[in-house]
Amino acid sequence: MSVLLTVLAALIASGACAYHRTSLRVWAIATVITTVLAGLLLQAPWTMLILLIVELAIAVPLLMVGFRRRQISAPLLTQFAKVTPRLSDTEQTALEAGTVGFEGELFSGKPDWHALLRQPKPALNAEEQAFMDGPVEELCGMLDDWQITHELADLPPNVWEFIKKNKFFGMIIPKRYNGLEFSALAHSAVLQKLATMSPTAASTVAVPNSLGPAELLLHYGTEAQKDYYLPRLAVGDEIPCFALTGPYAGSDATSLTDFGIVCKQTVDGTETLGIKLTFDKRYITLAPVATVVGLAFRLYDPDQLLGDKADLGITLALLPRSTPGLQIGRRHFPLNVPFQNGPLHGKDVFVPISTLIGGPNMAGQGWRMLVEVLSVGRAISLPSNATGGVRSAVASTGAYARMRKQFGLAIARFEGVEEALARIGGLTYATAALSRATAAAVDRGEKPAVTSAIAKYHTTEFGRIVAGDAMDVHGGKAVQLGPKNYAGRAWEGVPIAITVEGANIMTRSLMIFGQGAIRCHPYVLKEMQALTISDRDEQLKTFDRALFGHIGFGLSNAVRAFTLGLTGSRIGDTAGDAYTRRYYRKLNRYSAALALCADVFMGVLGGKLKFKEKLSARLGDVLSYLYIASAMLKGYEDAGRPEADRPLLAWAFHECVWRMQMALDGAIRNFPVRPVGWLLRVLVFPFGRREVPPSDRLGRRVAALISAPGEARDRLLEWVYLTPTANNTIGRMHALLPEVIAAEPIERKFAKAQKAGQFKSHDYVEQLAEAQQLGVITAAEQALLKRVQEAVFEFISVDDFDTSELRAAVTRADAEKPARVA
């Protein structure tokens, strides 16, 4: 027994050092002292001696840095260079683009939660709030989604003019160029509010402020290009589009087949250096109405007119619509959401060299330009539109479920509907927190390459779930399209957000963990970068430092994951209040588990992990849900820890943690080296899978919150257009909701009398009059029931049409006429 206890004491000391991430020297000292004391106290001298020999045999060589580098690190460096796959130039550029924010802490296995909570609370300034209360509110009042989607297949002319006049296209353009120079949060808020009224309007405003000429010009344009284009873009004198996707290059933008040849051509009697372009683009938002086209293509210089390279690589240019040979104007029709979107083509289109964004010096730099800018735009546009959509679903579905009666009971009371309402409320809480967190990261100066992918993927996927649940709750009301239907178009448009700016399948399986594992890991990128150092001594020194930091990091995460799993995440320093402290501890556990699994997967599979997309996707899910959960906790703190929000936070948090557990379980279960998988399962799940989805009881509380007025519902509806105007059915439903709830006890009295046969008439209005005469209800109560019944009837009604109204005004033959040449 003394032998076992001595060994156990030494292991506990080593484990404690690993858990707290002490230095190698501290570990050696602590372990040796513990072994000596345990051996003496337990009278186990031989065990003590053997343990000391083992400990010193490990510690001494590792503490002799010069010896360690020559005898251990040098051969490992040679082997590492052989097995590490060489990064392509495009992969290297993607990794170097962007910055690492708090997601790096989540990958560390020991997040600094105080650093998260020290981040400033995101908030609109006075000018931005005035814009939300003024032009944005006014624009929402002008939007009629049925008119836009069915009658015009476009925004009305007065809406286009209003958008331009009030600089909606200039939110990211600095004031010195006559733009609004809004924060990313304000940009997000504007898009969210517009999305609650018209996805078409939101998309139209989003594109010029996202990946497009303005953003590219701000970062890379020449001064002459900035001075000419940016003021014109800010006020809508120029409508921009950016053409990247083609038939053979979508998510894989580096496979562009569009090309340009540097050449000289006589223009107006003058020999001009320029580019002859051939391109075929599709899915280009705003292309049909664009006056200036941003174009991505591969540039070749066979005569070496710009330098000594023949293949310069991906390059970006700005083409005026009037460019001879540019074919533009026809439209795609994306799932009945008619934002301007279409193809553009050109063959042997000659443009002067000055059209290159940034001038000739930026030739071949297009891929770097794109990946650096795309992360910022992707962090705002689609997450904001998706957040507006799910917030709108809370407003409409929560109110509708309280108004709509079946079997004499509001359908919000049915458990099946409660389940859907709970998902709508909980996922909206998570989506709003995620969207705000990524906007705040941009405002802090970050270029969130990894978290923008997380935000794009998960906000749109949550939007897909919420849109489906909203359709289910509304039933036939949402199926019948028409002016009264506020849910159908949102459901139709879901696949658009899923597909654009990086298809979700690709984003999940390739980008989130693929970039996160290297960008966020504290040592992997340093080890890989060591291979590029030409000086051997410096290379070995850098690699040695990273390697042994990595080894200690891996051991620490193994101990932390096992310890926190063994204790049910009940120990450890953390942040938060008495309510949320357990949540932070839970995330500590899964952060350590992610870091451990990522290290093991990369270490065992090496470069093959790139092709194990399902494993990468699952590990990316864990990183994503860690980030979403941390965003929710930060949002809860920023809101002042409102007690009313706790059911929403709890539901969304338990959903995230359950999904994390299942993703880790799936990754470990499918790991191809089974003995390694078995060991990981013991370390990560010592007592098996213990997390569960949100309970029915918790779901009932969330459903109740979103189907009744209150501060929690109000916070979920931030930046939703709720003014009860004629064009805003959801706003009028929201305004009626307090009266609907006030009428419920009166309805129960009325129903009781009705069931008792006290009324002679079968007409509802006449029965109300009888009820008043019999003293069942008062005159005020009668007026309330009548008013609510009339209003609710409008909201549950659907449209019908004459057949002639549904026929297309333009035949297919008309639609297939050849594209005109601009």
Side-chain angles (χ1 to χ4, degrees):
M1 181 59 73
S2 61
V3 173
L4 290 176
L5 291 175
T6 303
V7 172
L8 182 62
L11 288 175
I12 290 173
S14 294
C17 290
Y19 182 91
H20 292 288
R21 297 188 177 172
T22 65
S23 67
L24 180 61
R25 189 180 304 276
V26 171
W27 167 80
I29 294 171
T31 306
V32 167
I33 290 175
T34 302
T35 301
V36 171
L37 290 175
L40 294 174
L41 291 172
L42 297 170
Q43 298 180 352
W46 288 108
T47 303
M48 176 183 71
L49 182 60
I50 293 170
L51 286 174
L52 287 173
I53 292 172
V54 172
E55 291 162 1
L56 293 173
I58 296 172
V60 172
L62 296 183
L63 289 170
M64 297 169 62
V65 178
F67 174 85
R68 183 183 77 194
R69 287 177 184 165
R70 291 190 302 273
Q71 302 302 318
I72 302 175
S73 296
L76 289 176
L77 174 59
T78 303
Q79 185 64 25
F80 182 70
K82 291 179 181 178
V83 302
T84 299
R86 183 185 178 278
L87 291 175
S88 66
D89 292 339
T90 55
E91 288 175 318
Q92 186 68 39
T93 300
L95 285 173
E96 291 174 354
T99 58
V100 177
F102 191 74
E103 66 273 19
E105 289 288 332
L106 297 173
F107 223 104
S108 72
K110 191 181 179 183
D112 182 355
W113 298 112
H114 297 288
L116 173 68
L117 300 184
R118 282 195 299 269
Q119 293 174 358
K121 174 184 176 181
L124 303 180
N125 62 34
E127 182 183 2
E128 293 165 344
Q129 187 62 56
F131 190 78
M132 290 290 292
D133 296 338
V136 179
E137 184 82 3
E138 187 175 349
L139 177 56
C140 286
M142 299 167 66
L143 298 172
D144 180 336
D145 200 49
W146 180 250
Q147 178 195 42
I148 292 167
T149 61
H150 184 74
E151 296 173 2
L152 300 179
D154 192 7
L155 299 175
N158 66 318
V159 169
W160 276 105
E161 185 59 33
F162 186 89
I163 287 172
K164 295 175 184 179
K165 178 182 177 182
N166 288 277
K167 304 182 183 180
F168 279 83
F169 291 158
M171 287 191 287
I172 66 169
I173 296 176
K175 291 181 179 179
R176 67 180 181 274
Y177 296 112
N178 202 26
L180 294 175
E181 199 172 348
F182 279 172
S183 65
L185 183 68
H187 178 186
S188 177
V190 170
L191 295 181
Q192 287 185 45
K193 194 163 188 173
L194 293 180
T196 66
M197 284 301 293
S198 169
T200 304
S203 298
T204 301
V205 171
V207 169
N209 292 287
S210 179
L211 175 62
E215 186 82 22
L216 291 165
L217 286 168
L218 280 170
H219 288 85
Y220 311 107
T222 65
E223 290 306 313
Q225 289 171 337
K226 292 177 183 178
D227 291 340
Y228 177 77
Y229 278 113
L230 290 177
R232 297 170 63 80
L233 290 167
V235 297
D237 289 343
E238 299 279 6
I239 303 296
C241 73
F242 188 81
L244 175 61
T245 302
Y248 303 104
S251 297
D252 179 15
T254 58
S255 298
L256 285 173
T257 56
D258 312 289
F259 63 91
I261 307 294
V262 180
C263 60
K264 292 182 179 180
Q265 185 169 309
T266 300
V267 179
D268 296 331
T270 303
E271 187 178 60
T272 303
L273 178 64
I275 306 164
K276 190 170 286 187
L277 294 163
T278 296
F279 51 89
D280 183 11
K281 302 291 190 180
R282 62 183 183 179
Y283 311 152
I284 311 305
T285 299
L286 294 186
V289 296
T291 62
V292 59
V293 176
L295 187 71
F297 57 94
R298 182 171 285 277
L299 183 63
Y300 298 95
D301 186 11
D303 298 328
Q304 298 186 351
L305 298 174
L306 296 180
D308 57 2
K309 289 180 64 177
D311 183 355
L312 296 175
I314 295 176
T315 302
L316 310 182
L318 281 180
L319 280 61
R321 187 187 183 98
S322 58
T323 301
L326 172 60
Q327 299 177 32
I328 184 173
R330 288 178 66 81
R331 293 180 62 180
H332 298 310
F333 190 32
L335 290 173
N336 284 325
V337 182
F339 56 92
Q340 293 284 340
N341 183 274
L344 51 89
H345 319 277
K347 182 173 176 58
D348 295 334
V349 176
F350 182 80
V351 296
I353 203 72
S354 60
T355 59
L356 295 185
I357 297 177
N361 291 335
M362 296 303 291
Q365 300 298 310
W367 177 241
R368 177 174 65 85
M369 296 159 69
L370 287 173
V371 294
E372 288 180 349
V373 170
L374 181 60
S375 65
V376 175
R378 189 167 50 199
I380 305 299
S381 56
L382 286 168
S384 302
N385 289 356
T387 304
V390 296
R391 289 185 190 273
S392 182
V394 168
S396 62
T397 313
Y400 183 85
R402 199 64 182 261
M403 295 175 186
R404 181 65 165 150
K405 303 291 194 302
Q406 294 284 281
F407 308 106
L409 191 66
I411 62 172
R413 304 296 189 192
F414 288 77
E415 288 198 354
V417 174
E418 275 184 354
E419 191 173 24
L421 292 175
R423 277 194 300 269
I424 291 172
L427 293 180
T428 297
Y429 187 85
T431 302
L434 176 55
S435 180
R436 186 183 290 263
T438 48
V442 173
D443 282 332
R444 291 194 299 272
E446 297 178 21
K447 294 180 179 179
V450 176
T451 55
S452 67
I454 291 173
K456 189 273 172 180
Y457 175 81
H458 287 279
T459 57
T460 56
E461 288 294 336
F462 288 168
R464 187 199 319 240
I465 296 169
V466 168
D469 282 328
M471 291 290 291
D472 286 351
V473 173
H474 281 84
K477 164 69 178 176
V479 169
Q480 304 300 333
L481 288 175
K484 295 183 176 70
N485 188 332
Y486 43 78
R489 292 298 195 216
W491 166 250
E492 284 184 308
V494 162
I496 300 172
I498 296 294
T499 302
V500 300
E501 291 194 23
N504 275 11
I505 288 177
M506 304 288 283
T507 300
R508 176 175 178 259
S509 60
L510 295 179
M511 293 181 63
I512 295 176
F513 182 76
Q515 288 190 4
I518 298 175
R519 289 287 303 169
C520 299
H521 196 288
Y523 298 105
V524 167
L525 188 57
K526 295 175 183 176
E527 291 166 339
M528 298 177 71
Q529 289 172 335
L531 298 178
T532 65
I533 300 174
S534 56
D535 182 272
R536 178 64 178 179
D537 289 339
E538 184 62 29
Q539 182 187 52
L540 185 57
K541 184 187 298 183
T542 302
F543 180 75
D544 173 82
R545 188 163 49 245
L547 173 65
F548 282 93
H550 194 162
I551 292 171
F553 175 77
L555 291 172
S556 173
N557 285 319
V559 171
R560 290 181 62 82
F562 181 70
T563 303
L564 293 172
L566 208 60
T567 60
S569 309
R570 290 184 176 87
I571 63 171
D573 295 331
T574 188
D577 58 12
Y579 179 77
T580 58
R581 201 167 292 130
R582 54 188 170 143
Y583 292 162
Y584 289 99
R585 288 187 174 133
K586 185 82 73 175
L587 297 185
N588 283 340
R589 175 192 175 184
Y590 284 97
S591 172
L594 170 64
L596 170 64
C597 288
D599 269 337
V600 172
F601 280 36
M602 289 188 289
V604 175
L605 298 179
K608 294 179 181 178
L609 184 57
K610 283 176 63 175
F611 306 103
K612 297 290 186 181
E613 295 173 18
K614 286 178 278 190
L615 295 181
S616 293
R618 292 181 179 111
L619 293 180
D621 288 343
V622 181
L623 176 60
S624 296
Y625 292 123
L626 280 167
Y627 184 74
I628 295 168
S630 65
M632 293 189 300
L633 289 169
K634 177 65 165 64
Y636 175 77
E637 293 288 338
D638 287 343
R641 301 174 176 174
E643 188 172 343
D645 286 5
R646 287 181 180 178
L648 292 163
L649 173 61
W651 192 99
F653 185 87
H654 288 305
E655 181 74 10
C656 282
V657 172
W658 179 71
R659 291 187 182 208
M660 272 188 266
Q661 171 191 259
M662 300 312 294
L664 279 171
D665 174 69
I668 293 170
R669 183 160 31 87
N670 289 281
F671 192 70
V673 184
R674 299 309 304 142
V676 175
W678 298 333
L679 176 60
L680 279 175
R681 183 167 296 281
V682 171
L683 292 173
V684 174
F685 299 117
F687 292 130
R689 302 191 308 268
R690 305 297 297 274
E691 310 294 351
V692 294
S695 67
D696 291 348
R697 181 172 175 271
L698 184 56
R700 185 175 300 112
R701 294 175 66 193
V702 171
L705 282 178
I706 73 166
S707 57
E711 58 174 302
R713 177 180 155 96
D714 289 345
R715 273 187 288 272
L716 283 182
L717 302 188
E718 183 182 27
W719 301 332
V720 175
Y721 180 63
L722 292 173
T723 305
T725 54
N727 69 321
N728 188 13
T729 303
I730 295 175
R732 298 199 308 278
M733 291 170 66
H734 175 77
L736 182 67
L737 187 56
E739 288 196 326
V740 170
I741 294 173
E744 287 179 343
I746 307 170
E747 288 174 337
R748 287 193 290 270
K749 290 193 298 182
F750 177 80
K752 184 178 179 181
Q754 193 178 46
K755 188 175 181 180
Q758 296 185 36
F759 308 138
K760 297 177 181 179
S761 175
H762 297 290
D763 179 79
Y764 180 76
V765 175
E766 292 177 1
Q767 286 180 340
L768 287 179
E770 288 184 61
Q772 182 192 346
Q773 291 171 1
L774 294 171
V776 175
I777 58 176
T778 66
E781 290 172 336
Q782 178 198 12
L784 175 61
L785 288 183
K786 185 177 180 181
R787 188 166 62 250
V788 167
Q789 191 267 348
E790 290 173 351
V792 167
F793 179 75
E794 177 199 352
F795 299 140
I796 66 174
S797 295
V798 298
D799 298 283
D800 53 74
F801 303 90
D802 185 83
T803 299
S804 62
E805 296 179 81
L806 300 177
R807 292 195 181 110
V810 179
T811 67
R812 185 182 304 177
D814 292 332
E816 292 176 353
K817 287 178 180 177
R820 65 181 179 85
V821 178

